[in-house]
Amino acid sequence: MNFRFSLTLPLFFLALFYHVAYAQEGSKLFNTFCATCHVDDPQSRAPNLSILKQLNPEQVLSALEKGSMIKVGAERSRKERIALAEFVTGKSYDPSHKDLISPLAYCNKNNAANSHVTPTSMNWNSWGVNNENTRFQHKKNTSIQLNSVQTLKLKWSFGFPGAASASTQAIVNNHRVYVGSWEGDVFSLDAATGCIHWRVEAEAGVRAGLVIDDKASTVFFGDLAANVYAVDANNGKVIWKSKVDSHPLARISGGLKLHDGLIYIPISSREESMAGDPRYPCCRFQGSVVALQQNNGTQAWKTMLIDEPAQSKGLSAAGIASYGPAGVAVWNSPALDIKRHALYIGTGNSYTSPNARLSDSIVALDLKNGALLWSQQFTPNDMWNGSCPETAQNHTNCANLDAPDFDFSAPPMIVQTAVGDRIIASQKSGVIYSLDPNKKGALVWQKKVGVGGTSGGIMFGSAADDHAIYAALSDATRVKNKLDPNTGGGLVALDQSTGRELWRTAHPPCGERKLCSQAQTAAVSVSDDLVFSGSIDGHLRAYSTRTGEIVWSYDTAQTFNTVNGVKAKGGSISDAGVAIVGSMLFTNSGYSHHSGINPGNVFLAFEIQP
């Protein structure tokens, strides 16, 4: 007994020594390389320490080695990455921990309801279900309506291995669901059972919405390293892969679109956040839209959204090389106007001076060659990056401390009104604009529906049916650098022709709920007489399109027993919205970025009960 005690005790202290040493190293690494972005700041795109502590070290390590933080992780050794993961989570790394998917989760003749795919018109393709980005599923394609929604029940749940956010827009085609993961996995799932038809690993995380050509049986998607993939929809085999931007921080965050043999890809970047570090040479990324040939991935055209390449501007106040102009990222999915042979996008702010003329604009490009047709700028002089917020530790890289950061993060929509076609653009300022595509985007009306701010206003997207526009509001505010649970949120409906407010519904109060915010940042989706909106508080709610009354609600912020055996929980709902097809509804839950306060990694399938 004494012998065993004397042997074990030194081993215990040795393990404790290494744990303390790792913690000290992790703290130093975090303060040196990570603290500038991962701060308690309302403008920060990165999760703060209180959110990171909800994760396990394996999730953080996965993000550093393959997920959204791969560019940062690549600069650190494996030992340093483990030390960082342990420090930010406050937990010990278990090298034996593997979040593997069981072979039983893959489809076979017993668990695949549709092993032979049958074509159907009831699909949800790309970000907005259609070229116009309206996110409207017609009643002929869904039985989820006001008179049936109370019978909507959870059918199955699916866990994304290693993920801390679940927010990619799912698409549904011929009884299969295609969805990506921030950890770089893309799955083809059986819509009825959730079993896996195939799984593909991308080079980096997949945030952008996918698009499918069912005639060619090909799925296309982009990743957070600016790669585009074409994959055989039947078996998951990669047909081709194409790099669409050479900047090391370029990424694809907006949903892809497909038309007449071309794939349209919006290009954004993480450089805006990196500029918060005074040692970062800010800034050289310039936003663009790229068109690739669908059959082989070769570039058909690329339109840069800044007129001149970034030039050296000498040294910053910190003695670091500085550049400009930069920015004008495209965070959102294009709207395709086939009638006018045009593509419409909303652009982001400039990162530096001089300000770019196409920043914070609605831009029209020619579908065939990418030529600029027209543009309308709505927030001039918006030169913003991670060093500009008042609470930033250093403003060295900021060109305009008063810049509001009013990107168009929500995609534009094309609607047919009683007075003609209109482009509807929703901005982080909380303003919705109606533009006339026949008059080079001339303003028809504008309506301020929210307070606005760096976290929206309107964040990731509005929706429209045949008569109204529906917009969810973020309007998040902070108290002592924490999201205020008593402010923000709400859903508003406007008349398409005039912009007149039809109704407005406040977000239900948080009460005693933990990890709660009333902000509604996720894109909304519409069926015949219902609007679905997810919230940072984790609830998915259905509203009547006629009155705005909340008629159904489901709390996704809980743990789930998944069909693939992966441990999964829901949390904040943000970014993408639900996909509505037939009698089923699909949504992600869990978000740890940009006002997301409750991480998660679950994908949920609901169905109307007979």
Side-chain angles (χ1 to χ4, degrees), residues 244-256:
V244 292
D245 197 282
S246 60
H247 193 282
L249 295 175
R251 55 170 44 186
I252 300 169
S253 57
L256 279 58

Side-chain angles (χ1 to χ4, degrees), residues 119 203 245 254 292 351 507 556:
E203 180 181 316
D245 197 282
L292 300 182
Y351 298 168
H507 189 288
T556 71

Side-chain angles (χ1 to χ4, degrees), residues 468-486:
I469 300 157
Y470 306 94
L473 304 178
S474 171
D475 285 347
T477 59
R478 302 225 171 195
V479 176
K480 296 181 179 179
N481 278 332
K482 294 186 181 298
L483 281 178
D484 185 349
N486 301 310

Side-chain angles (χ1 to χ4, degrees), residues 193-270:
T193 68
C195 69
I196 304 169
H197 285 288
W198 50 256
R199 175 187 187 182
V200 170
E201 282 191 82
E203 180 181 316
V206 176
R207 173 185 171 184
L210 298 76
V211 67
I212 188 169
D213 182 345
D214 55 356
K215 292 181 180 178
S217 296
T218 307
V219 177
F220 304 91
F221 61 89
D223 70 14
L224 295 177
N227 298 301
V228 177
Y229 303 76
V231 173
D232 189 313
N234 296 304
N235 54 32
K237 180 181 178 181
V238 176
I239 301 169
W240 54 256
K241 173 185 172 185
S242 180
K243 185 87 166 178
V244 292
D245 197 282
S246 60
H247 193 282
L249 295 175
R251 55 170 44 186
I252 300 169
S253 57
L256 279 58
K257 281 294 197 300
L258 178 67
H259 175 67
D260 198 21
L262 292 181
I263 311 159
Y264 300 98
I265 304 112
I267 311 298
S268 61
S269 169
R270 278 193 62 252

Side-chain angles (χ1 to χ4, degrees), residues 389-401:
E390 182 179 347
T391 52
Q393 296 179 0
N394 190 295
H395 300 302
T396 296
N397 287 327
C398 183
N400 180 10
L401 287 172

